[in-house]
Amino acid sequence: MENLNNLGDLHGKTVVITGGTSGVGRAAAEAFALECCNVVVGARGQEGLDETVSLCHDLGVVALGVPTDVSKFEDVENLANLALQYNGRIDIWVNNVGVMASGKFEDVPVESMDQLVKTNLLGYLHGEHAVIPIFKKQKDGILINNVSIGGYVPAPYSTAYSSTKFGIR
């Protein structure tokens, strides 16, 4: 996120980040907060949401954590609707969610692989489906899909993960 200056003045912009409670997602939330953006974070874990929102508040910005399971379109649509309440628009949407199930292919339960695909691949499509109509109405908006290295180089013992990340790419 070091190239945020290339985006111009971000002060007061509304940024939505899925999977923003740890790793790259939390770092993105912090980076956008440092640019004085309104930060809206969607994730499943309430504790992580509370921590990220607190971090953003400590940096002096408005932030909201929304319990969101991106594998469910209704949750993502709710995330977008709540984000719109800040200033009637969403300026930047960051699809960042990523879950992993590793192991020998035959040892990873089918249910785990199904959920991984719903989260990593369909979750991004749900985000895009929710925000693109908003961007079109606004005639403006930035969509960022965080692919991960798994979209370029297959990870051993991570067939489903690599497949979803390659699909996003």
Side-chain angles (χ1 to χ4, degrees):
M1 301 304 309
E2 61 189 340
N3 294 326
L4 289 179
N5 290 333
N6 295 339
L7 298 175
D9 183 18
L10 295 174
H11 188 274
K13 303 283 186 184
T14 298
V15 179
V16 177
I17 305 167
T18 65
T21 58
S22 64
V24 171
R26 182 173 285 176
E30 182 178 5
F32 282 114
L34 288 168
E35 294 292 329
C36 299
C37 294
N38 302 313
V39 178
V40 182
V41 178
R44 290 181 298 177
Q46 189 62 52
E47 183 178 337
L49 286 169
D50 293 344
E51 290 171 1
T52 302
V53 166
S54 179
L55 169 68
C56 292
H57 287 165
D58 289 348
L59 294 171
V61 300
V62 176
L64 175 66
V66 180
T68 306
D69 179 345
V70 297
S71 72
K72 299 175 183 173
F73 178 69
E74 302 78 28
D75 279 16
V76 179
E77 193 172 42
N78 180 58
L79 176 64
N81 289 333
L82 290 173
L84 281 171
Q85 292 178 9
Y86 279 110
N87 57 13
R89 59 181 289 119
I90 296 171
D91 299 289
I92 302 168
W93 184 284
V94 182
N95 278 323
N96 179 69
V97 167
V99 296
M100 186 175 242
S102 295
K104 288 183 183 176
F105 183 78
E106 64 272 17
D107 293 341
V108 177
V110 170
E111 298 80 13
S112 296
M113 284 193 292
D114 287 355
Q115 187 59 48
L116 189 146
V117 171
K118 288 177 186 174
T119 301
N120 289 5
L121 183 57
L122 294 180
Y124 278 50
L125 296 175
H126 292 161
E128 293 162 2
H129 193 70
V131 78
I132 286 174
I134 294 167
F135 286 169
K136 284 185 173 185
K137 183 178 179 184
Q138 296 171 172
K139 296 183 175 26
D140 187 31
I142 297 170
L143 173 65
I144 300 170
N145 285 329
N146 182 11
V147 175
S148 100
I149 192 71
Y152 296 88
V153 179
Y157 298 103
S158 300
T159 302
Y161 178 82
S162 294
S163 298
T164 59
K165 294 304 182 174
F166 186 82
I168 294 163
R169 187 181 126 209

